[in-house]
Amino acid sequence: KQEVTQIPAALSVPEGENLVLNCSFTDSAIYNLQWFRQDPGKGLTSLLLIQSSQREQTSGRLNASLDKSSGRSTLYIAASQPGDSATYLCARMGKIKAAGNKLTFGGGTRVLVKP
Amino acid sequence: AAGVIQSPRHLIKEKRETATLKCYPIPRHDTVYWYQQGPGQDPQFLISFYEKMQSDKGSIPDRFSAQQFSDYHSELNMSSLELGDSALYFCASSNQLGQPPGDTEAFFGQGTRLTVV
Protein backbone atom coordinates (compact mmCIF):
# COMPACT_ATOMS: atom_id res chain seq x y z
CA LYS A 1 0.00 0.00 0.00
CA GLN A 2 1.32 3.42 -0.93
CA GLU A 3 1.45 5.51 2.22
CA VAL A 4 2.63 8.94 3.12
CA THR A 5 3.35 9.79 6.73
CA GLN A 6 4.32 12.97 8.48
CA ILE A 7 5.98 13.13 11.86
CA PRO A 8 5.48 14.91 14.16
CA ALA A 9 1.74 15.51 13.96
CA ALA A 10 2.17 18.80 15.80
CA LEU A 11 5.05 21.16 16.45
CA SER A 12 5.35 24.29 18.57
CA VAL A 13 8.37 26.59 18.31
CA PRO A 14 9.28 30.11 19.42
CA GLU A 15 9.39 32.81 16.80
CA GLY A 16 12.70 32.96 14.94
CA GLU A 17 13.50 29.28 15.26
CA ASN A 18 13.93 27.20 12.12
CA LEU A 19 11.23 24.64 11.35
CA VAL A 20 11.95 21.13 10.09
CA LEU A 21 9.00 19.13 8.83
CA ASN A 22 9.37 15.52 7.78
CA CYS A 23 7.52 13.49 5.19
CA SER A 24 8.13 9.85 4.34
CA PHE A 25 6.62 7.67 1.65
CA THR A 26 6.75 3.95 1.04
CA ASP A 27 6.84 3.87 -2.76
CA SER A 28 9.81 5.58 -4.41
CA ALA A 29 8.17 5.42 -7.85
CA ILE A 30 6.93 8.97 -7.73
CA TYR A 31 6.42 11.69 -10.31
CA ASN A 32 6.82 14.46 -7.80
CA LEU A 33 6.23 15.55 -4.26
CA GLN A 34 4.32 18.67 -3.32
CA TRP A 35 4.19 20.60 -0.07
CA PHE A 36 1.01 22.46 0.87
CA ARG A 37 -0.04 24.85 3.57
CA GLN A 38 -3.55 24.78 5.02
CA ASP A 39 -5.01 27.31 7.42
CA PRO A 40 -7.92 26.10 9.59
CA GLY A 41 -11.03 25.49 7.51
CA LYS A 42 -9.36 26.88 4.40
CA GLY A 43 -8.05 25.52 1.15
CA LEU A 44 -4.67 24.06 0.28
CA THR A 45 -1.98 26.44 -0.90
CA SER A 46 0.84 24.92 -2.91
CA LEU A 47 4.23 25.87 -1.48
CA LEU A 48 6.81 23.85 -3.37
CA LEU A 49 6.93 21.07 -5.92
CA ILE A 50 9.94 18.80 -6.27
CA GLN A 51 10.21 16.67 -9.36
CA SER A 52 11.41 13.12 -8.89
CA SER A 53 14.65 14.03 -10.68
CA GLN A 54 15.37 16.92 -8.33
CA ARG A 55 16.90 16.91 -4.88
CA GLU A 56 15.63 20.23 -3.60
CA GLN A 57 13.59 23.33 -4.31
CA THR A 58 13.74 26.74 -2.68
CA SER A 59 11.29 29.60 -2.42
CA GLY A 60 12.13 32.45 -0.09
CA ARG A 61 12.44 31.12 3.45
CA LEU A 62 11.25 27.69 2.34
CA ASN A 63 13.48 24.86 1.20
CA ALA A 64 12.31 21.34 0.44
CA SER A 65 14.55 18.36 -0.14
CA LEU A 66 13.78 14.99 -1.66
CA ASP A 67 15.62 11.70 -1.16
CA LYS A 68 13.87 9.05 -3.23
CA SER A 69 16.16 6.24 -2.12
CA SER A 70 15.16 6.67 1.51
CA GLY A 71 11.61 7.75 0.71
CA ARG A 72 11.90 11.07 2.50
CA SER A 73 11.24 14.73 1.95
CA THR A 74 11.95 17.53 4.37
CA LEU A 75 10.52 21.04 4.42
CA TYR A 76 12.67 23.66 6.10
CA ILE A 77 11.23 27.01 7.07
CA ALA A 78 13.88 29.48 8.13
CA ALA A 79 13.39 32.13 10.82
CA SER A 80 9.81 31.15 11.60
CA GLN A 81 7.16 33.81 12.14
CA PRO A 82 3.75 33.64 13.85
CA GLY A 83 2.18 33.91 10.38
CA ASP A 84 3.75 30.54 9.55
CA SER A 85 1.35 28.86 11.97
CA ALA A 86 -0.71 26.44 9.91
CA THR A 87 -0.92 22.78 8.96
CA TYR A 88 1.65 21.65 6.43
CA LEU A 89 0.86 18.66 4.23
CA CYS A 90 3.06 16.76 1.86
CA ALA A 91 1.62 14.82 -1.04
CA ARG A 92 3.19 12.45 -3.53
CA MET A 93 2.03 12.11 -7.10
CA GLY A 94 2.29 8.49 -8.16
CA LYS A 95 3.93 7.19 -11.28
CA ILE A 96 1.27 4.60 -11.97
CA LYS A 97 -0.13 5.99 -15.18
CA ALA A 98 0.75 8.64 -17.68
CA ALA A 99 -2.12 10.99 -16.94
CA GLY A 100 -4.59 11.72 -14.22
CA ASN A 101 -2.13 10.78 -11.53
CA LYS A 102 -3.55 11.53 -8.11
CA LEU A 103 -1.93 13.04 -5.07
CA THR A 104 -1.71 10.97 -1.90
CA PHE A 105 -1.47 13.08 1.22
CA GLY A 106 0.27 12.65 4.51
CA GLY A 107 -1.57 13.37 7.73
CA GLY A 108 -0.02 16.82 8.05
CA THR A 109 2.02 18.58 10.69
CA ARG A 110 0.23 21.27 12.67
CA VAL A 111 2.68 24.09 13.36
CA LEU A 112 2.36 26.79 15.99
CA VAL A 113 4.91 29.58 16.06
CA LYS A 114 4.74 31.44 19.34
CA PRO A 115 5.56 35.16 19.40
CA ALA B 1 -3.89 34.65 -12.08
CA ALA B 2 -7.02 32.55 -12.33
CA GLY B 3 -7.42 29.89 -9.67
CA VAL B 4 -9.67 26.89 -9.17
CA ILE B 5 -13.18 28.06 -8.41
CA GLN B 6 -15.58 25.99 -6.34
CA SER B 7 -19.21 26.64 -5.63
CA PRO B 8 -20.97 26.88 -3.35
CA ARG B 9 -18.52 27.68 -0.55
CA HIS B 10 -20.93 26.45 2.09
CA LEU B 11 -23.84 24.05 1.87
CA ILE B 12 -26.22 22.74 4.48
CA LYS B 13 -28.37 19.74 3.64
CA GLU B 14 -30.58 17.35 5.54
CA LYS B 15 -30.06 13.61 5.68
CA ARG B 16 -31.19 11.77 2.57
CA GLU B 17 -31.10 14.92 0.47
CA THR B 18 -28.98 15.45 -2.64
CA ALA B 19 -26.12 17.90 -3.13
CA THR B 20 -24.25 19.06 -6.21
CA LEU B 21 -20.81 20.63 -5.92
CA LYS B 22 -19.23 22.48 -8.83
CA CYS B 23 -15.63 23.01 -9.80
CA TYR B 24 -14.15 25.28 -12.44
CA PRO B 25 -10.51 24.37 -13.08
CA ILE B 26 -7.74 26.73 -14.06
CA PRO B 27 -8.06 27.51 -17.79
CA ARG B 28 -6.19 25.05 -20.02
CA HIS B 29 -5.76 22.53 -17.23
CA ASP B 30 -6.67 19.05 -18.43
CA THR B 31 -7.02 17.17 -15.13
CA VAL B 32 -9.52 17.63 -12.31
CA TYR B 33 -9.41 15.89 -8.94
CA TRP B 34 -11.96 15.68 -6.13
CA TYR B 35 -10.93 15.22 -2.50
CA GLN B 36 -12.86 14.86 0.75
CA GLN B 37 -11.41 16.15 4.01
CA GLY B 38 -13.16 15.24 7.24
CA PRO B 39 -12.54 17.15 10.48
CA GLY B 40 -8.93 16.71 11.57
CA GLN B 41 -8.22 14.39 8.63
CA ASP B 42 -5.97 14.63 5.61
CA PRO B 43 -7.61 14.96 2.19
CA GLN B 44 -8.85 11.66 0.78
CA PHE B 45 -8.93 11.14 -2.96
CA LEU B 46 -12.36 10.53 -4.45
CA ILE B 47 -12.09 10.67 -8.23
CA SER B 48 -10.21 12.32 -11.07
CA PHE B 49 -10.81 13.19 -14.70
CA TYR B 50 -8.31 13.65 -17.49
CA GLU B 51 -9.60 15.31 -20.66
CA LYS B 52 -13.20 14.73 -19.55
CA MET B 53 -12.73 10.99 -19.02
CA GLN B 54 -12.60 9.41 -15.59
CA SER B 55 -8.94 8.57 -14.99
CA ASP B 56 -8.82 7.26 -11.45
CA LYS B 57 -11.19 6.39 -8.65
CA GLY B 58 -10.56 6.33 -4.94
CA SER B 59 -12.73 5.80 -1.90
CA ILE B 60 -15.84 7.34 -3.42
CA PRO B 61 -19.16 5.94 -2.15
CA ASP B 62 -21.61 4.52 -4.70
CA ARG B 63 -24.00 7.30 -3.63
CA PHE B 64 -21.59 9.81 -5.18
CA SER B 65 -21.00 10.39 -8.85
CA ALA B 66 -19.01 12.93 -10.80
CA GLN B 67 -18.48 14.07 -14.32
CA GLN B 68 -16.49 16.57 -16.32
CA PHE B 69 -18.23 18.58 -18.98
CA SER B 70 -17.14 19.84 -22.40
CA ASP B 71 -16.08 23.19 -20.90
CA TYR B 72 -13.90 21.24 -18.41
CA HIS B 73 -15.90 22.17 -15.37
CA SER B 74 -16.74 19.26 -13.10
CA GLU B 75 -19.63 18.42 -10.79
CA LEU B 76 -19.75 16.08 -7.83
CA ASN B 77 -23.22 14.75 -7.18
CA MET B 78 -23.97 13.31 -3.78
CA SER B 79 -27.26 11.53 -3.06
CA SER B 80 -28.86 10.03 0.05
CA LEU B 81 -26.65 12.23 2.19
CA GLU B 82 -25.52 10.91 5.54
CA LEU B 83 -24.23 12.72 8.60
CA GLY B 84 -20.79 11.28 7.91
CA ASP B 85 -20.65 13.06 4.57
CA SER B 86 -20.14 16.34 6.40
CA ALA B 87 -16.69 17.47 5.31
CA LEU B 88 -14.70 19.90 3.22
CA TYR B 89 -14.73 18.92 -0.42
CA PHE B 90 -11.84 20.12 -2.51
CA CYS B 91 -11.40 20.26 -6.21
CA ALA B 92 -7.94 20.56 -7.74
CA SER B 93 -6.70 20.91 -11.28
CA SER B 94 -3.42 20.36 -13.06
CA ASN B 95 -2.00 20.42 -16.56
CA GLN B 96 -0.47 17.06 -17.40
CA LEU B 97 -0.44 16.87 -21.18
CA GLY B 98 2.83 18.03 -22.62
CA GLN B 99 4.48 18.54 -19.26
CA PRO B 100 7.87 17.04 -18.54
CA PRO B 101 7.57 14.03 -16.27
CA GLY B 102 7.12 15.19 -12.72
CA ASP B 103 6.40 18.79 -13.61
CA THR B 104 2.70 18.55 -12.83
CA GLU B 105 1.61 20.85 -10.05
CA ALA B 106 -1.87 20.54 -8.59
CA PHE B 107 -3.73 23.66 -7.55
CA PHE B 108 -6.60 23.46 -5.12
CA GLY B 109 -9.77 25.46 -4.78
CA GLN B 110 -10.96 26.91 -1.49
CA GLY B 111 -13.32 24.01 -0.98
CA THR B 112 -17.00 23.52 -0.31
CA ARG B 113 -17.95 22.93 3.29
CA LEU B 114 -20.86 20.52 3.34
CA THR B 115 -22.81 20.12 6.55
CA VAL B 116 -25.42 17.38 6.73
CA VAL B 117 -27.94 17.79 9.55
Side-chain angles (χ1 to χ4, degrees):
Chain A
K1 182 182 176 183
Q2 299 159 5
E3 291 185 344
V4 181
T5 56
Q6 292 183 248
I7 296 173
L11 188 58
S12 179
V13 299
E15 181 178 3
E17 195 166 295
N18 296 333
L19 284 164
V20 180
L21 307 178
N22 298 304
C23 172
S24 60
F25 45 93
T26 55
D27 186 350
S28 62
I30 65 171
Y31 259 158
N32 62 43
L33 191 131
Q34 230 174 311
W35 282 93
F36 294 88
R37 169 185 171 139
Q38 185 175 32
D39 293 289
K42 304 295 185 182
L44 297 159
T45 301
S46 179
L47 297 174
L48 288 168
L49 177 144
I50 313 177
Q51 297 178 28
S52 62
S53 59
Q54 298 174 325
R55 294 192 65 83
E56 68 176 335
Q57 278 286 344
T58 298
S59 175
R61 293 185 294 112
L62 275 59
N63 174 277
S65 65
L66 176 65
D67 184 341
K68 279 200 325 177
S69 61
S70 64
R72 291 182 183 177
S73 177
T74 303
L75 178 66
Y76 301 90
I77 303 177
S80 61
Q81 305 167 358
D84 294 329
S85 299
T87 297
Y88 292 83
L89 297 115
C90 68
R92 67 178 285 282
M93 181 170 283
K95 206 174 184 179
I96 302 172
K97 53 182 79 172
N101 291 301
K102 67 176 185 282
L103 287 168
T104 301
F105 283 86
T109 295
R110 192 170 63 255
V111 171
L112 175 63
V113 180
K114 295 178 287 187
Chain B
V4 177
I5 305 296
Q6 290 188 246
S7 68
R9 293 292 308 277
H10 302 273
L11 190 58
I12 299 175
K13 290 285 186 178
E14 294 187 355
K15 283 194 301 183
R16 292 180 289 277
E17 282 193 322
T18 297
T20 298
L21 279 54
K22 296 186 178 182
C23 169
Y24 298 86
I26 292 173
R28 291 178 294 283
H29 276 194
D30 51 32
T31 304
V32 166
Y33 315 80
W34 284 98
Y35 284 82
Q36 177 191 57
Q37 186 178 32
Q41 305 294 316
D42 55 285
Q44 295 296 312
F45 173 73
L46 294 177
I47 195 167
S48 64
F49 293 88
Y50 170 69
E51 283 294 332
K52 294 163 281 186
M53 299 289 290
Q54 181 181 310
S55 56
D56 203 352
K57 199 170 182 179
S59 50
I60 183 170
D62 292 340
R63 300 177 289 108
F64 294 5
S65 65
Q67 57 181 325
Q68 188 177 27
F69 295 86
S70 58
D71 64 352
Y72 289 87
H73 94 273
S74 178
E75 294 183 4
L76 177 66
N77 296 294
M78 310 158 69
S79 62
S80 302
L81 287 169
E82 303 172 356
L83 295 178
D85 296 329
S86 296
L88 263 173
Y89 289 84
F90 289 109
C91 171
S93 72
S94 68
N95 181 24
Q96 303 209 22
L97 181 64
Q99 293 291 320
D103 197 19
T104 298
E105 186 170 3
F107 295 89
F108 281 73
Q110 288 300 299
T112 294
R113 180 173 294 283
L114 172 67
T115 303
V116 182
V117 297

Short mmCIF file of all heavy atoms in Angstrom, two decimals, chain A residues 2 8 10-11 16 22 27 36 43 47-48 51-52 65 70 72-73 78-79 83 86 92 99 102 108 112 114:
data_model
loop_
_atom_site.label_atom_id
_atom_site.label_comp_id
_atom_site.label_asym_id
_atom_site.label_seq_id
_atom_site.Cartn_x
_atom_site.Cartn_y
_atom_site.Cartn_z
N GLN A 2 0.54 2.20 -0.88
CA GLN A 2 1.32 3.42 -0.93
C GLN A 2 0.86 4.32 0.20
O GLN A 2 -0.28 4.70 0.28
CB GLN A 2 1.10 4.11 -2.27
CG GLN A 2 1.53 3.26 -3.44
CD GLN A 2 0.87 3.70 -4.72
OE1 GLN A 2 0.16 4.68 -4.75
NE2 GLN A 2 1.09 2.97 -5.79
N PRO A 8 6.56 15.14 13.20
CA PRO A 8 5.48 14.91 14.16
C PRO A 8 4.13 15.39 13.64
O PRO A 8 4.08 16.11 12.65
CB PRO A 8 5.93 15.76 15.36
CG PRO A 8 6.65 16.92 14.71
CD PRO A 8 7.36 16.33 13.52
N ALA A 10 2.28 17.41 15.35
CA ALA A 10 2.17 18.80 15.80
C ALA A 10 3.53 19.27 16.29
O ALA A 10 4.33 18.49 16.78
CB ALA A 10 1.13 18.94 16.90
N LEU A 11 3.75 20.57 16.13
CA LEU A 11 5.05 21.16 16.45
C LEU A 11 4.84 22.58 16.93
O LEU A 11 4.10 23.34 16.29
CB LEU A 11 5.91 21.15 15.18
CG LEU A 11 7.37 21.52 15.24
CD1 LEU A 11 8.12 20.61 16.19
CD2 LEU A 11 7.97 21.43 13.84
N GLY A 16 11.29 32.83 15.29
CA GLY A 16 12.70 32.96 14.94
C GLY A 16 13.42 31.64 14.79
O GLY A 16 14.46 31.58 14.13
N ASN A 22 8.98 16.75 8.44
CA ASN A 22 9.37 15.52 7.78
C ASN A 22 8.21 14.83 7.09
O ASN A 22 7.08 14.84 7.57
CB ASN A 22 9.97 14.55 8.80
CG ASN A 22 11.22 15.12 9.44
OD1 ASN A 22 12.17 15.47 8.76
ND2 ASN A 22 11.21 15.23 10.75
N ASP A 27 6.59 4.26 -1.38
CA ASP A 27 6.84 3.87 -2.76
C ASP A 27 7.70 4.94 -3.42
O ASP A 27 7.27 6.08 -3.55
CB ASP A 27 5.52 3.72 -3.50
CG ASP A 27 5.70 3.18 -4.91
OD1 ASP A 27 6.85 3.10 -5.38
OD2 ASP A 27 4.68 2.84 -5.54
N PHE A 36 2.13 21.53 0.80
CA PHE A 36 1.01 22.46 0.87
C PHE A 36 0.93 23.07 2.26
O PHE A 36 1.35 22.48 3.26
CB PHE A 36 -0.31 21.75 0.59
CG PHE A 36 -0.46 21.23 -0.80
CD1 PHE A 36 -0.02 19.95 -1.13
CD2 PHE A 36 -1.06 22.00 -1.79
CE1 PHE A 36 -0.16 19.46 -2.41
CE2 PHE A 36 -1.21 21.50 -3.07
CZ PHE A 36 -0.76 20.23 -3.38
N GLY A 43 -8.56 26.38 2.21
CA GLY A 43 -8.05 25.52 1.15
C GLY A 43 -6.58 25.22 1.28
O GLY A 43 -5.93 25.61 2.24
N LEU A 47 3.02 25.16 -1.89
CA LEU A 47 4.23 25.87 -1.48
C LEU A 47 5.39 25.55 -2.42
O LEU A 47 6.03 26.45 -2.95
CB LEU A 47 4.61 25.48 -0.05
CG LEU A 47 3.62 25.85 1.05
CD1 LEU A 47 4.08 25.28 2.38
CD2 LEU A 47 3.44 27.36 1.15
N LEU A 48 5.67 24.28 -2.57
CA LEU A 48 6.81 23.85 -3.37
C LEU A 48 6.49 22.53 -4.04
O LEU A 48 5.78 21.70 -3.47
CB LEU A 48 8.07 23.67 -2.51
CG LEU A 48 8.76 24.93 -1.98
CD1 LEU A 48 9.79 24.57 -0.93
CD2 LEU A 48 9.43 25.70 -3.12
N GLN A 51 10.29 17.76 -8.40
CA GLN A 51 10.21 16.67 -9.36
C GLN A 51 11.05 15.49 -8.86
O GLN A 51 11.99 15.67 -8.09
CB GLN A 51 10.71 17.12 -10.73
CG GLN A 51 9.90 18.23 -11.34
CD GLN A 51 10.48 18.67 -12.66
OE1 GLN A 51 11.11 17.90 -13.37
NE2 GLN A 51 10.25 19.92 -13.01
N SER A 52 10.71 14.31 -9.34
CA SER A 52 11.41 13.12 -8.89
C SER A 52 12.90 13.15 -9.25
O SER A 52 13.71 12.50 -8.60
CB SER A 52 10.77 11.86 -9.49
OG SER A 52 10.86 11.90 -10.90
N SER A 65 13.63 19.34 0.42
CA SER A 65 14.55 18.36 -0.14
C SER A 65 13.82 17.07 -0.41
O SER A 65 12.76 16.80 0.17
CB SER A 65 15.71 18.12 0.83
OG SER A 65 15.24 17.52 2.02
N SER A 70 15.61 6.92 0.14
CA SER A 70 15.16 6.67 1.51
C SER A 70 13.68 6.96 1.69
O SER A 70 13.13 6.75 2.77
CB SER A 70 15.98 7.52 2.50
OG SER A 70 15.74 8.90 2.29
N ARG A 72 12.08 9.96 1.57
CA ARG A 72 11.90 11.07 2.50
C ARG A 72 11.95 12.42 1.81
O ARG A 72 12.70 12.62 0.86
CB ARG A 72 12.97 11.06 3.59
CG ARG A 72 12.86 9.92 4.55
CD ARG A 72 13.93 10.01 5.61
NE ARG A 72 13.89 8.87 6.51
CZ ARG A 72 14.75 8.66 7.49
NH1 ARG A 72 15.73 9.54 7.70
NH2 ARG A 72 14.64 7.61 8.27
N SER A 73 11.15 13.33 2.34
CA SER A 73 11.24 14.73 1.95
C SER A 73 11.19 15.55 3.22
O SER A 73 10.52 15.19 4.20
CB SER A 73 10.08 15.11 1.03
OG SER A 73 10.14 16.49 0.71
N ALA A 78 12.89 28.72 7.37
CA ALA A 78 13.88 29.48 8.13
C ALA A 78 13.24 30.64 8.88
O ALA A 78 12.27 31.24 8.41
CB ALA A 78 14.95 30.01 7.17
N ALA A 79 13.80 30.95 10.05
CA ALA A 79 13.39 32.13 10.82
C ALA A 79 11.88 32.21 10.91
O ALA A 79 11.26 33.16 10.38
CB ALA A 79 13.98 33.38 10.19
N GLY A 83 3.01 34.10 11.58
CA GLY A 83 2.18 33.91 10.38
C GLY A 83 2.44 32.58 9.70
O GLY A 83 1.67 32.19 8.82
N ALA A 86 0.23 27.07 10.84
CA ALA A 86 -0.71 26.44 9.91
C ALA A 86 -0.45 24.93 9.95
O ALA A 86 0.45 24.47 10.65
CB ALA A 86 -0.53 26.97 8.49
N ARG A 92 2.43 13.03 -2.42
CA ARG A 92 3.19 12.45 -3.53
C ARG A 92 2.25 12.21 -4.70
O ARG A 92 1.09 11.83 -4.53
CB ARG A 92 3.87 11.16 -3.11
CG ARG A 92 2.92 10.02 -2.81
CD ARG A 92 3.65 8.73 -2.45
NE ARG A 92 4.24 8.06 -3.59
CZ ARG A 92 3.56 7.33 -4.47
NH1 ARG A 92 2.28 7.16 -4.36
NH2 ARG A 92 4.19 6.74 -5.46
N ALA A 99 -1.32 9.78 -17.14
CA ALA A 99 -2.12 10.99 -16.94
C ALA A 99 -3.13 10.75 -15.84
O ALA A 99 -3.48 9.62 -15.54
CB ALA A 99 -2.82 11.36 -18.25
N LYS A 102 -2.99 10.86 -9.29
CA LYS A 102 -3.55 11.53 -8.11
C LYS A 102 -2.47 11.80 -7.08
O LYS A 102 -1.40 11.20 -7.10
CB LYS A 102 -4.64 10.67 -7.49
CG LYS A 102 -4.15 9.37 -6.87
CD LYS A 102 -5.28 8.64 -6.21
CE LYS A 102 -4.80 7.39 -5.48
NZ LYS A 102 -4.57 6.30 -6.43
N GLY A 108 -0.25 15.42 7.73
CA GLY A 108 -0.02 16.82 8.05
C GLY A 108 0.72 17.02 9.35
O GLY A 108 0.67 16.17 10.26
N LEU A 112 2.68 25.57 15.25
CA LEU A 112 2.36 26.79 15.99
C LEU A 112 3.66 27.52 16.27
O LEU A 112 4.57 26.97 16.89
CB LEU A 112 1.65 26.46 17.31
CG LEU A 112 1.38 27.66 18.23
CD1 LEU A 112 0.43 28.65 17.54
CD2 LEU A 112 0.82 27.21 19.57
N LYS A 114 5.12 30.56 18.24
CA LYS A 114 4.74 31.44 19.34
C LYS A 114 5.54 32.73 19.31
O LYS A 114 6.75 32.71 19.19
CB LYS A 114 4.96 30.72 20.67
CG LYS A 114 4.05 29.51 20.84
CD LYS A 114 4.33 28.78 22.14
CE LYS A 114 5.65 28.03 22.06
NZ LYS A 114 5.87 27.18 23.25
#
